[in-house]
Amino acid sequence: MKAVLVLEDGFALEGEAFAGEGEIFGEVVFNTSMTGYQEILTDPSYKGQIVTLTYPLIGNYGINAEDVESFKPHVEALVVREYSRFPHNWRSQRTLKEFLEQFGILGIEGIDTRALTKHIREAGAMKGVISTRDFDIKRLLEKVRAYPGLVGRDMVQHVTCRQPYRWQQGPKSIDGVTGSLSAIGPKSSQYKYRVVAFDYGVKYNILRLLEAIGCEVIVVPAWTKAEEVLGLDPDGIFLSNGPGDPAGVPYAIEEIKKLLGKKPIFGICLGHQFLGRALGLDTFKLKFGHRGGNQPVKDLATGRVEITAQNHGFCVCRPDPHTCNNPDLLRELRITHVNLNDRTLEGMEHRSLKCFSVQYHPEASPGPHDSRYLFERFASLMEETR
C-alpha cells in the first residue's frame, strides 16, 4: 500500500505501508541506534513523535514479551528503509508487523531514511504527516501546518499511570482494587530504601534498576501532590523520563519545588528538565534532539567519557552568571556532565538541596551501560541523608 510522508516545510517522500493504514501526525525525528527497536517503540518518551530509524534493516529479530519498556508502543508511526518480514531469533515470538498492528501503529518502509535524516539535521525536527489515503502533497501540507505540534503541550498526561502502584519485578497493584496511596503501610523489611517515583512516562528498566539497588519503588501519577509523597516517608524521590516540552507541564514543576530539600531527588531526561525548571533554570528546544545509543558525555569531575543512550528534544539552559538573580543557585549548583557533540548540559547537582539529575538514560535499554553507576550514587545519597 502506497504511503506519503510530508514535512511542514514541504519536504516529501514516498514509501509503502508494511503495518496499518490511515493518516498520522507527529513530530518527525530520527534515532541512530543499531538495535533495540522494540524498546524504542515502547518508550513513552516518544509519544507524539514519528520515529525514523537510521539503521536500514528493521524487524530481523522479531518481537518478544520481555524487551518492552512499557505496556504498549507509544510512537505515532515508524519509518524504516527496509522491513524484514521473516525474523530469525530464538527469542522471537511474533513479527514487528503483528506487534504494530495489534496497537494500531502505522509502519512504513521504502523511505530514503538517509535523505530524511540529513534533511532533519539541516532543517531541524518538525511536524509531519504520513498518509495512506490522501496523496495530494499540497492538501497534506495544509493539514500538517494546522497540527499543533509538541511545543507548550502537556504530553505527559497521555502516558502517566492513572493509579499508583508498587514495582516488584513488574507493576503490582497496591491494594488489589483502587491503587490508593493510603493502602501503603510501613516500608518492607526486604528493602533497604523506599523510593517514590513520579511517572512522567517511566521506562521499566529504570524501575528494575532501582529495585536492584535495594529500593521499594512506589510509582505515582504525574499529578500526585508533594504532601502525598512525603506522607509515604520515602528515603528518596525519583523523577522519570517522559515526552514533550517540560514547559507544558507546570503542575509537575510546582510539586517538585515543594519537595526540594525535603528528600534526596534523582531525575532522568524529562525529570532532569523538570528539576532544572524547579530550580529556576530555563529550557529550550534543540534543533533535532539527541536520540540514539552513541552520544558521548563527559563527567567533569573525573574526566571520564561515557557513551550514553539518549532520547530528548529539549534541554536545560546553563545558568548565566550575568543574568541570574539567584546567587544561591550559582553558588550551589554544579554542572556535572556535558555533551561532547554540542556542549549542552547533560547533568547537574545541587549540593545543599541533595538533588541531582542527568539528561541521558543511564538505564539504557537499549544502549551502553557506562552510566549505571548513577543508581548507586542515588543509593549513597539516600544513605548519607538517612
PDB file of all heavy atoms in Angstrom, residues 339-376:
ATOM      1  N   ASN A 339      27.579  17.289  26.990  1.00  0.00           N
ATOM      2  CA  ASN A 339      27.577  16.534  25.741  1.00  0.00           C
ATOM      3  C   ASN A 339      28.771  16.975  24.894  1.00  0.00           C
ATOM      4  O   ASN A 339      28.965  18.166  24.654  1.00  0.00           O
ATOM      5  CB  ASN A 339      26.262  16.794  24.994  1.00  0.00           C
ATOM      6  CG  ASN A 339      26.097  15.899  23.789  1.00  0.00           C
ATOM      7  OD1 ASN A 339      26.864  15.952  22.829  1.00  0.00           O
ATOM      8  ND2 ASN A 339      25.061  15.084  23.820  1.00  0.00           N
ATOM      9  N   LEU A 340      29.575  16.026  24.449  1.00  0.00           N
ATOM     10  CA  LEU A 340      30.780  16.367  23.704  1.00  0.00           C
ATOM     11  C   LEU A 340      30.510  16.702  22.245  1.00  0.00           C
ATOM     12  O   LEU A 340      31.407  17.191  21.560  1.00  0.00           O
ATOM     13  CB  LEU A 340      31.799  15.224  23.803  1.00  0.00           C
ATOM     14  CG  LEU A 340      32.389  14.994  25.198  1.00  0.00           C
ATOM     15  CD1 LEU A 340      33.402  13.866  25.174  1.00  0.00           C
ATOM     16  CD2 LEU A 340      33.035  16.270  25.723  1.00  0.00           C
ATOM     17  N   ASN A 341      29.301  16.445  21.770  1.00  0.00           N
ATOM     18  CA  ASN A 341      28.973  16.836  20.395  1.00  0.00           C
ATOM     19  C   ASN A 341      28.604  18.308  20.294  1.00  0.00           C
ATOM     20  O   ASN A 341      29.036  19.002  19.372  1.00  0.00           O
ATOM     21  CB  ASN A 341      27.823  15.984  19.854  1.00  0.00           C
ATOM     22  CG  ASN A 341      28.251  14.574  19.494  1.00  0.00           C
ATOM     23  OD1 ASN A 341      29.425  14.337  19.197  1.00  0.00           O
ATOM     24  ND2 ASN A 341      27.312  13.640  19.515  1.00  0.00           N
ATOM     25  N   ASP A 342      27.797  18.794  21.228  1.00  0.00           N
ATOM     26  CA  ASP A 342      27.319  20.180  21.118  1.00  0.00           C
ATOM     27  C   ASP A 342      27.489  20.989  22.410  1.00  0.00           C
ATOM     28  O   ASP A 342      27.011  22.118  22.488  1.00  0.00           O
ATOM     29  CB  ASP A 342      25.857  20.211  20.660  1.00  0.00           C
ATOM     30  CG  ASP A 342      24.915  19.470  21.615  1.00  0.00           C
ATOM     31  OD1 ASP A 342      25.342  19.140  22.743  1.00  0.00           O
ATOM     32  OD2 ASP A 342      23.763  19.215  21.221  1.00  0.00           O
ATOM     33  N   ARG A 343      28.144  20.397  23.418  1.00  0.00           N
ATOM     34  CA  ARG A 343      28.454  21.079  24.693  1.00  0.00           C
ATOM     35  C   ARG A 343      27.212  21.423  25.507  1.00  0.00           C
ATOM     36  O   ARG A 343      27.278  22.251  26.424  1.00  0.00           O
ATOM     37  CB  ARG A 343      29.292  22.352  24.460  1.00  0.00           C
ATOM     38  CG  ARG A 343      30.525  22.160  23.603  1.00  0.00           C
ATOM     39  CD  ARG A 343      31.480  21.130  24.153  1.00  0.00           C
ATOM     40  NE  ARG A 343      32.018  21.491  25.459  1.00  0.00           N
ATOM     41  CZ  ARG A 343      32.884  20.744  26.134  1.00  0.00           C
ATOM     42  NH1 ARG A 343      33.291  19.587  25.636  1.00  0.00           N
ATOM     43  NH2 ARG A 343      33.341  21.139  27.314  1.00  0.00           N
ATOM     44  N   THR A 344      26.072  20.827  25.209  1.00  0.00           N
ATOM     45  CA  THR A 344      24.875  21.097  26.007  1.00  0.00           C
ATOM     46  C   THR A 344      24.982  20.440  27.377  1.00  0.00           C
ATOM     47  O   THR A 344      25.736  19.484  27.584  1.00  0.00           O
ATOM     48  CB  THR A 344      23.611  20.599  25.298  1.00  0.00           C
ATOM     49  OG1 THR A 344      23.774  19.232  24.918  1.00  0.00           O
ATOM     50  CG2 THR A 344      23.307  21.446  24.077  1.00  0.00           C
ATOM     51  N   LEU A 345      24.184  20.945  28.312  1.00  0.00           N
ATOM     52  CA  LEU A 345      24.187  20.465  29.690  1.00  0.00           C
ATOM     53  C   LEU A 345      23.566  19.068  29.738  1.00  0.00           C
ATOM     54  O   LEU A 345      22.442  18.863  29.284  1.00  0.00           O
ATOM     55  CB  LEU A 345      23.400  21.439  30.564  1.00  0.00           C
ATOM     56  CG  LEU A 345      23.467  21.281  32.080  1.00  0.00           C
ATOM     57  CD1 LEU A 345      23.107  22.618  32.737  1.00  0.00           C
ATOM     58  CD2 LEU A 345      22.532  20.221  32.589  1.00  0.00           C
ATOM     59  N   GLU A 346      24.294  18.112  30.321  1.00  0.00           N
ATOM     60  CA  GLU A 346      23.817  16.731  30.406  1.00  0.00           C
ATOM     61  C   GLU A 346      23.646  16.240  31.841  1.00  0.00           C
ATOM     62  O   GLU A 346      23.065  15.175  32.056  1.00  0.00           O
ATOM     63  CB  GLU A 346      24.784  15.792  29.680  1.00  0.00           C
ATOM     64  CG  GLU A 346      24.807  15.944  28.172  1.00  0.00           C
ATOM     65  CD  GLU A 346      23.678  15.207  27.477  1.00  0.00           C
ATOM     66  OE1 GLU A 346      22.815  14.647  28.162  1.00  0.00           O
ATOM     67  OE2 GLU A 346      23.655  15.200  26.235  1.00  0.00           O
ATOM     68  N   GLY A 347      24.152  16.995  32.812  1.00  0.00           N
ATOM     69  CA  GLY A 347      23.994  16.572  34.194  1.00  0.00           C
ATOM     70  C   GLY A 347      24.265  17.712  35.150  1.00  0.00           C
ATOM     71  O   GLY A 347      25.044  18.628  34.834  1.00  0.00           O
ATOM     72  N   MET A 348      23.615  17.683  36.309  1.00  0.00           N
ATOM     73  CA  MET A 348      23.809  18.746  37.301  1.00  0.00           C
ATOM     74  C   MET A 348      23.497  18.203  38.685  1.00  0.00           C
ATOM     75  O   MET A 348      22.823  17.180  38.838  1.00  0.00           O
ATOM     76  CB  MET A 348      22.911  19.945  36.988  1.00  0.00           C
ATOM     77  CG  MET A 348      21.434  19.624  37.006  1.00  0.00           C
ATOM     78  SD  MET A 348      20.399  21.006  36.453  1.00  0.00           S
ATOM     79  CE  MET A 348      18.764  20.276  36.638  1.00  0.00           C
ATOM     80  N   GLU A 349      23.987  18.911  39.706  1.00  0.00           N
ATOM     81  CA  GLU A 349      23.652  18.573  41.087  1.00  0.00           C
ATOM     82  C   GLU A 349      23.587  19.849  41.912  1.00  0.00           C
ATOM     83  O   GLU A 349      24.274  20.831  41.623  1.00  0.00           O
ATOM     84  CB  GLU A 349      24.674  17.604  41.683  1.00  0.00           C
ATOM     85  CG  GLU A 349      26.055  18.171  41.875  1.00  0.00           C
ATOM     86  CD  GLU A 349      27.003  17.189  42.564  1.00  0.00           C
ATOM     87  OE1 GLU A 349      26.574  16.056  42.848  1.00  0.00           O
ATOM     88  OE2 GLU A 349      28.160  17.577  42.814  1.00  0.00           O
ATOM     89  N   HIS A 350      22.733  19.837  42.914  1.00  0.00           N
ATOM     90  CA  HIS A 350      22.617  20.947  43.849  1.00  0.00           C
ATOM     91  C   HIS A 350      23.042  20.429  45.212  1.00  0.00           C
ATOM     92  O   HIS A 350      22.392  19.548  45.790  1.00  0.00           O
ATOM     93  CB  HIS A 350      21.182  21.470  43.896  1.00  0.00           C
ATOM     94  CG  HIS A 350      21.047  22.806  44.554  1.00  0.00           C
ATOM     95  ND1 HIS A 350      21.211  22.979  45.913  1.00  0.00           N
ATOM     96  CD2 HIS A 350      20.768  24.040  44.039  1.00  0.00           C
ATOM     97  CE1 HIS A 350      21.025  24.254  46.222  1.00  0.00           C
ATOM     98  NE2 HIS A 350      20.763  24.920  45.098  1.00  0.00           N
ATOM     99  N   ARG A 351      24.140  20.940  45.719  1.00  0.00           N
ATOM    100  CA  ARG A 351      24.762  20.377  46.916  1.00  0.00           C
ATOM    101  C   ARG A 351      23.852  20.419  48.141  1.00  0.00           C
ATOM    102  O   ARG A 351      23.623  19.409  48.803  1.00  0.00           O
ATOM    103  CB  ARG A 351      26.070  21.123  47.205  1.00  0.00           C
ATOM    104  CG  ARG A 351      27.134  20.972  46.118  1.00  0.00           C
ATOM    105  CD  ARG A 351      28.396  21.747  46.495  1.00  0.00           C
ATOM    106  NE  ARG A 351      29.450  21.622  45.493  1.00  0.00           N
ATOM    107  CZ  ARG A 351      29.589  22.434  44.458  1.00  0.00           C
ATOM    108  NH1 ARG A 351      28.725  23.434  44.286  1.00  0.00           N
ATOM    109  NH2 ARG A 351      30.572  22.265  43.603  1.00  0.00           N
ATOM    110  N   SER A 352      23.331  21.599  48.461  1.00  0.00           N
ATOM    111  CA  SER A 352      22.586  21.736  49.712  1.00  0.00           C
ATOM    112  C   SER A 352      21.188  21.127  49.631  1.00  0.00           C
ATOM    113  O   SER A 352      20.636  20.703  50.655  1.00  0.00           O
ATOM    114  CB  SER A 352      22.492  23.215  50.115  1.00  0.00           C
ATOM    115  OG  SER A 352      21.813  23.964  49.122  1.00  0.00           O
ATOM    116  N   LEU A 353      20.599  21.070  48.439  1.00  0.00           N
ATOM    117  CA  LEU A 353      19.254  20.519  48.293  1.00  0.00           C
ATOM    118  C   LEU A 353      19.252  19.017  48.068  1.00  0.00           C
ATOM    119  O   LEU A 353      18.185  18.410  47.928  1.00  0.00           O
ATOM    120  CB  LEU A 353      18.517  21.225  47.153  1.00  0.00           C
ATOM    121  CG  LEU A 353      18.221  22.711  47.361  1.00  0.00           C
ATOM    122  CD1 LEU A 353      17.504  23.292  46.157  1.00  0.00           C
ATOM    123  CD2 LEU A 353      17.397  22.929  48.633  1.00  0.00           C
ATOM    124  N   LYS A 354      20.447  18.397  47.999  1.00  0.00           N
ATOM    125  CA  LYS A 354      20.558  16.939  47.879  1.00  0.00           C
ATOM    126  C   LYS A 354      19.805  16.405  46.654  1.00  0.00           C
ATOM    127  O   LYS A 354      19.024  15.453  46.750  1.00  0.00           O
ATOM    128  CB  LYS A 354      20.021  16.243  49.145  1.00  0.00           C
ATOM    129  CG  LYS A 354      20.672  16.680  50.435  1.00  0.00           C
ATOM    130  CD  LYS A 354      22.120  16.214  50.512  1.00  0.00           C
ATOM    131  CE  LYS A 354      22.736  16.541  51.863  1.00  0.00           C
ATOM    132  NZ  LYS A 354      24.148  16.150  51.949  1.00  0.00           N
ATOM    133  N   CYS A 355      20.026  17.027  45.513  1.00  0.00           N
ATOM    134  CA  CYS A 355      19.374  16.550  44.303  1.00  0.00           C
ATOM    135  C   CYS A 355      20.364  16.552  43.142  1.00  0.00           C
ATOM    136  O   CYS A 355      21.286  17.375  43.105  1.00  0.00           O
ATOM    137  CB  CYS A 355      18.144  17.391  43.960  1.00  0.00           C
ATOM    138  SG  CYS A 355      18.467  19.144  43.689  1.00  0.00           S
ATOM    139  N   PHE A 356      20.180  15.624  42.222  1.00  0.00           N
ATOM    140  CA  PHE A 356      20.996  15.583  41.023  1.00  0.00           C
ATOM    141  C   PHE A 356      20.191  14.960  39.893  1.00  0.00           C
ATOM    142  O   PHE A 356      19.173  14.277  40.130  1.00  0.00           O
ATOM    143  CB  PHE A 356      22.306  14.825  41.260  1.00  0.00           C
ATOM    144  CG  PHE A 356      22.163  13.326  41.361  1.00  0.00           C
ATOM    145  CD1 PHE A 356      22.506  12.504  40.293  1.00  0.00           C
ATOM    146  CD2 PHE A 356      21.703  12.728  42.535  1.00  0.00           C
ATOM    147  CE1 PHE A 356      22.386  11.120  40.386  1.00  0.00           C
ATOM    148  CE2 PHE A 356      21.592  11.353  42.641  1.00  0.00           C
ATOM    149  CZ  PHE A 356      21.934  10.542  41.555  1.00  0.00           C
ATOM    150  N   SER A 357      20.641  15.185  38.661  1.00  0.00           N
ATOM    151  CA  SER A 357      19.888  14.687  37.511  1.00  0.00           C
ATOM    152  C   SER A 357      20.794  14.630  36.302  1.00  0.00           C
ATOM    153  O   SER A 357      21.834  15.294  36.233  1.00  0.00           O
ATOM    154  CB  SER A 357      18.682  15.594  37.232  1.00  0.00           C
ATOM    155  OG  SER A 357      19.105  16.918  36.936  1.00  0.00           O
ATOM    156  N   VAL A 358      20.364  13.812  35.318  1.00  0.00           N
ATOM    157  CA  VAL A 358      21.073  13.710  34.047  1.00  0.00           C
ATOM    158  C   VAL A 358      20.068  13.751  32.908  1.00  0.00           C
ATOM    159  O   VAL A 358      18.926  13.290  33.047  1.00  0.00           O
ATOM    160  CB  VAL A 358      21.924  12.425  33.955  1.00  0.00           C
ATOM    161  CG1 VAL A 358      23.110  12.485  34.904  1.00  0.00           C
ATOM    162  CG2 VAL A 358      21.096  11.169  34.195  1.00  0.00           C
ATOM    163  N   GLN A 359      20.522  14.281  31.785  1.00  0.00           N
ATOM    164  CA  GLN A 359      19.664  14.392  30.619  1.00  0.00           C
ATOM    165  C   GLN A 359      19.553  13.074  29.860  1.00  0.00           C
ATOM    166  O   GLN A 359      18.577  12.814  29.177  1.00  0.00           O
ATOM    167  CB  GLN A 359      20.211  15.476  29.677  1.00  0.00           C
ATOM    168  CG  GLN A 359      19.397  15.706  28.431  1.00  0.00           C
ATOM    169  CD  GLN A 359      17.972  16.132  28.733  1.00  0.00           C
ATOM    170  OE1 GLN A 359      17.724  17.272  29.072  1.00  0.00           O
ATOM    171  NE2 GLN A 359      17.027  15.200  28.653  1.00  0.00           N
ATOM    172  N   TYR A 360      20.555  12.222  30.008  1.00  0.00           N
ATOM    173  CA  TYR A 360      20.593  10.978  29.239  1.00  0.00           C
ATOM    174  C   TYR A 360      19.972   9.827  30.040  1.00  0.00           C
ATOM    175  O   TYR A 360      19.421  10.021  31.125  1.00  0.00           O
ATOM    176  CB  TYR A 360      22.028  10.654  28.826  1.00  0.00           C
ATOM    177  CG  TYR A 360      23.038  10.678  29.941  1.00  0.00           C
ATOM    178  CD1 TYR A 360      23.400   9.514  30.605  1.00  0.00           C
ATOM    179  CD2 TYR A 360      23.643  11.869  30.339  1.00  0.00           C
ATOM    180  CE1 TYR A 360      24.335   9.528  31.627  1.00  0.00           C
ATOM    181  CE2 TYR A 360      24.582  11.891  31.362  1.00  0.00           C
ATOM    182  CZ  TYR A 360      24.923  10.722  32.005  1.00  0.00           C
ATOM    183  OH  TYR A 360      25.836  10.742  33.017  1.00  0.00           O
ATOM    184  N   HIS A 361      20.056   8.600  29.482  1.00  0.00           N
ATOM    185  CA  HIS A 361      19.399   7.435  30.084  1.00  0.00           C
ATOM    186  C   HIS A 361      20.425   6.444  30.625  1.00  0.00           C
ATOM    187  O   HIS A 361      20.905   5.578  29.887  1.00  0.00           O
ATOM    188  CB  HIS A 361      18.506   6.743  29.047  1.00  0.00           C
ATOM    189  CG  HIS A 361      17.222   7.463  28.798  1.00  0.00           C
ATOM    190  ND1 HIS A 361      16.046   7.119  29.445  1.00  0.00           N
ATOM    191  CD2 HIS A 361      16.928   8.504  28.001  1.00  0.00           C
ATOM    192  CE1 HIS A 361      15.081   7.937  29.028  1.00  0.00           C
ATOM    193  NE2 HIS A 361      15.595   8.782  28.161  1.00  0.00           N
ATOM    194  N   PRO A 362      20.767   6.519  31.912  1.00  0.00           N
ATOM    195  CA  PRO A 362      21.753   5.571  32.461  1.00  0.00           C
ATOM    196  C   PRO A 362      21.250   4.137  32.489  1.00  0.00           C
ATOM    197  O   PRO A 362      22.049   3.202  32.550  1.00  0.00           O
ATOM    198  CB  PRO A 362      22.005   6.104  33.878  1.00  0.00           C
ATOM    199  CG  PRO A 362      20.789   6.910  34.206  1.00  0.00           C
ATOM    200  CD  PRO A 362      20.339   7.507  32.920  1.00  0.00           C
ATOM    201  N   GLU A 363      19.932   3.946  32.454  1.00  0.00           N
ATOM    202  CA  GLU A 363      19.399   2.572  32.421  1.00  0.00           C
ATOM    203  C   GLU A 363      19.500   1.955  31.034  1.00  0.00           C
ATOM    204  O   GLU A 363      19.329   0.744  30.872  1.00  0.00           O
ATOM    205  CB  GLU A 363      17.938   2.567  32.889  1.00  0.00           C
ATOM    206  CG  GLU A 363      16.899   2.870  31.837  1.00  0.00           C
ATOM    207  CD  GLU A 363      16.890   4.291  31.310  1.00  0.00           C
ATOM    208  OE1 GLU A 363      17.527   5.165  31.943  1.00  0.00           O
ATOM    209  OE2 GLU A 363      16.252   4.550  30.280  1.00  0.00           O
ATOM    210  N   ALA A 364      19.785   2.801  30.005  1.00  0.00           N
ATOM    211  CA  ALA A 364      19.902   2.364  28.610  1.00  0.00           C
ATOM    212  C   ALA A 364      18.632   1.637  28.178  1.00  0.00           C
ATOM    213  O   ALA A 364      17.556   2.174  28.278  1.00  0.00           O
ATOM    214  CB  ALA A 364      21.143   1.516  28.409  1.00  0.00           C
ATOM    215  N   SER A 365      18.783   0.410  27.694  1.00  0.00           N
ATOM    216  CA  SER A 365      17.659  -0.424  27.267  1.00  0.00           C
ATOM    217  C   SER A 365      16.846   0.241  26.158  1.00  0.00           C
ATOM    218  O   SER A 365      15.696   0.636  26.382  1.00  0.00           O
ATOM    219  CB  SER A 365      16.766  -0.758  28.457  1.00  0.00           C
ATOM    220  OG  SER A 365      15.829  -1.743  28.142  1.00  0.00           O
ATOM    221  N   PRO A 366      17.369   0.347  24.943  1.00  0.00           N
ATOM    222  CA  PRO A 366      18.667  -0.204  24.535  1.00  0.00           C
ATOM    223  C   PRO A 366      19.801   0.801  24.734  1.00  0.00           C
ATOM    224  O   PRO A 366      19.557   1.991  24.859  1.00  0.00           O
ATOM    225  CB  PRO A 366      18.459  -0.468  23.048  1.00  0.00           C
ATOM    226  CG  PRO A 366      17.575   0.668  22.617  1.00  0.00           C
ATOM    227  CD  PRO A 366      16.644   0.910  23.781  1.00  0.00           C
ATOM    228  N   GLY A 367      21.041   0.281  24.670  1.00  0.00           N
ATOM    229  CA  GLY A 367      22.192   1.165  24.722  1.00  0.00           C
ATOM    230  C   GLY A 367      23.269   0.672  25.665  1.00  0.00           C
ATOM    231  O   GLY A 367      23.123  -0.357  26.334  1.00  0.00           O
ATOM    232  N   PRO A 368      24.377   1.414  25.757  1.00  0.00           N
ATOM    233  CA  PRO A 368      25.509   1.021  26.602  1.00  0.00           C
ATOM    234  C   PRO A 368      25.213   1.204  28.087  1.00  0.00           C
ATOM    235  O   PRO A 368      24.322   1.961  28.471  1.00  0.00           O
ATOM    236  CB  PRO A 368      26.624   1.965  26.143  1.00  0.00           C
ATOM    237  CG  PRO A 368      25.903   3.152  25.595  1.00  0.00           C
ATOM    238  CD  PRO A 368      24.642   2.633  24.984  1.00  0.00           C
ATOM    239  N   HIS A 369      25.983   0.515  28.915  1.00  0.00           N
ATOM    240  CA  HIS A 369      25.760   0.515  30.359  1.00  0.00           C
ATOM    241  C   HIS A 369      26.793   1.358  31.111  1.00  0.00           C
ATOM    242  O   HIS A 369      26.979   1.185  32.317  1.00  0.00           O
ATOM    243  CB  HIS A 369      25.789  -0.921  30.883  1.00  0.00           C
ATOM    244  CG  HIS A 369      24.716  -1.787  30.311  1.00  0.00           C
ATOM    245  ND1 HIS A 369      24.680  -3.159  30.495  1.00  0.00           N
ATOM    246  CD2 HIS A 369      23.633  -1.493  29.543  1.00  0.00           C
ATOM    247  CE1 HIS A 369      23.630  -3.668  29.876  1.00  0.00           C
ATOM    248  NE2 HIS A 369      22.981  -2.677  29.285  1.00  0.00           N
ATOM    249  N   ASP A 370      27.448   2.281  30.428  1.00  0.00           N
ATOM    250  CA  ASP A 370      28.515   3.079  31.036  1.00  0.00           C
ATOM    251  C   ASP A 370      28.059   3.871  32.258  1.00  0.00           C
ATOM    252  O   ASP A 370      28.864   4.184  33.136  1.00  0.00           O
ATOM    253  CB  ASP A 370      29.078   4.076  30.013  1.00  0.00           C
ATOM    254  CG  ASP A 370      29.736   3.411  28.820  1.00  0.00           C
ATOM    255  OD1 ASP A 370      29.416   2.243  28.552  1.00  0.00           O
ATOM    256  OD2 ASP A 370      30.566   4.048  28.160  1.00  0.00           O
ATOM    257  N   SER A 371      26.782   4.231  32.312  1.00  0.00           N
ATOM    258  CA  SER A 371      26.325   5.219  33.294  1.00  0.00           C
ATOM    259  C   SER A 371      25.482   4.639  34.413  1.00  0.00           C
ATOM    260  O   SER A 371      24.871   5.392  35.178  1.00  0.00           O
ATOM    261  CB  SER A 371      25.527   6.319  32.583  1.00  0.00           C
ATOM    262  OG  SER A 371      26.254   6.844  31.488  1.00  0.00           O
ATOM    263  N   ARG A 372      25.474   3.336  34.550  1.00  0.00           N
ATOM    264  CA  ARG A 372      24.621   2.736  35.582  1.00  0.00           C
ATOM    265  C   ARG A 372      25.093   3.042  37.002  1.00  0.00           C
ATOM    266  O   ARG A 372      24.345   2.835  37.967  1.00  0.00           O
ATOM    267  CB  ARG A 372      24.509   1.227  35.360  1.00  0.00           C
ATOM    268  CG  ARG A 372      23.646   0.896  34.150  1.00  0.00           C
ATOM    269  CD  ARG A 372      23.277  -0.563  34.083  1.00  0.00           C
ATOM    270  NE  ARG A 372      22.326  -0.792  32.994  1.00  0.00           N
ATOM    271  CZ  ARG A 372      21.824  -1.980  32.685  1.00  0.00           C
ATOM    272  NH1 ARG A 372      22.182  -3.049  33.373  1.00  0.00           N
ATOM    273  NH2 ARG A 372      20.961  -2.103  31.684  1.00  0.00           N
ATOM    274  N   TYR A 373      26.306   3.552  37.156  1.00  0.00           N
ATOM    275  CA  TYR A 373      26.811   3.936  38.476  1.00  0.00           C
ATOM    276  C   TYR A 373      25.950   5.016  39.117  1.00  0.00           C
ATOM    277  O   TYR A 373      25.978   5.204  40.346  1.00  0.00           O
ATOM    278  CB  TYR A 373      28.257   4.432  38.360  1.00  0.00           C
ATOM    279  CG  TYR A 373      28.398   5.739  37.611  1.00  0.00           C
ATOM    280  CD1 TYR A 373      28.328   6.964  38.269  1.00  0.00           C
ATOM    281  CD2 TYR A 373      28.585   5.758  36.227  1.00  0.00           C
ATOM    282  CE1 TYR A 373      28.441   8.163  37.594  1.00  0.00           C
ATOM    283  CE2 TYR A 373      28.694   6.952  35.539  1.00  0.00           C
ATOM    284  CZ  TYR A 373      28.626   8.152  36.218  1.00  0.00           C
ATOM    285  OH  TYR A 373      28.728   9.338  35.528  1.00  0.00           O
ATOM    286  N   LEU A 374      25.167   5.731  38.314  1.00  0.00           N
ATOM    287  CA  LEU A 374      24.345   6.809  38.859  1.00  0.00           C
ATOM    288  C   LEU A 374      23.267   6.287  39.803  1.00  0.00           C
ATOM    289  O   LEU A 374      22.851   6.993  40.728  1.00  0.00           O
ATOM    290  CB  LEU A 374      23.707   7.615  37.716  1.00  0.00           C
ATOM    291  CG  LEU A 374      24.712   8.445  36.900  1.00  0.00           C
ATOM    292  CD1 LEU A 374      24.084   8.934  35.612  1.00  0.00           C
ATOM    293  CD2 LEU A 374      25.232   9.616  37.712  1.00  0.00           C
ATOM    294  N   PHE A 375      22.812   5.063  39.594  1.00  0.00           N
ATOM    295  CA  PHE A 375      21.835   4.487  40.518  1.00  0.00           C
ATOM    296  C   PHE A 375      22.492   4.222  41.878  1.00  0.00           C
ATOM    297  O   PHE A 375      21.867   4.437  42.929  1.00  0.00           O
ATOM    298  CB  PHE A 375      21.255   3.204  39.916  1.00  0.00           C
ATOM    299  CG  PHE A 375      20.341   3.459  38.747  1.00  0.00           C
ATOM    300  CD1 PHE A 375      20.830   3.470  37.450  1.00  0.00           C
ATOM    301  CD2 PHE A 375      18.989   3.716  38.943  1.00  0.00           C
ATOM    302  CE1 PHE A 375      19.999   3.722  36.371  1.00  0.00           C
ATOM    303  CE2 PHE A 375      18.144   3.973  37.875  1.00  0.00           C
ATOM    304  CZ  PHE A 375      18.655   3.976  36.582  1.00  0.00           C
ATOM    305  N   GLU A 376      23.742   3.787  41.856  1.00  0.00           N
ATOM    306  CA  GLU A 376      24.478   3.609  43.111  1.00  0.00           C
ATOM    307  C   GLU A 376      24.725   4.952  43.793  1.00  0.00           C
ATOM    308  O   GLU A 376      24.711   5.054  45.029  1.00  0.00           O
ATOM    309  CB  GLU A 376      25.810   2.896  42.853  1.00  0.00           C
ATOM    310  CG  GLU A 376      25.667   1.464  42.350  1.00  0.00           C
ATOM    311  CD  GLU A 376      25.080   0.528  43.393  1.00  0.00           C
ATOM    312  OE1 GLU A 376      25.062   0.897  44.591  1.00  0.00           O
ATOM    313  OE2 GLU A 376      24.624  -0.570  43.009  1.00  0.00           O
TER     314      GLU A 376
END
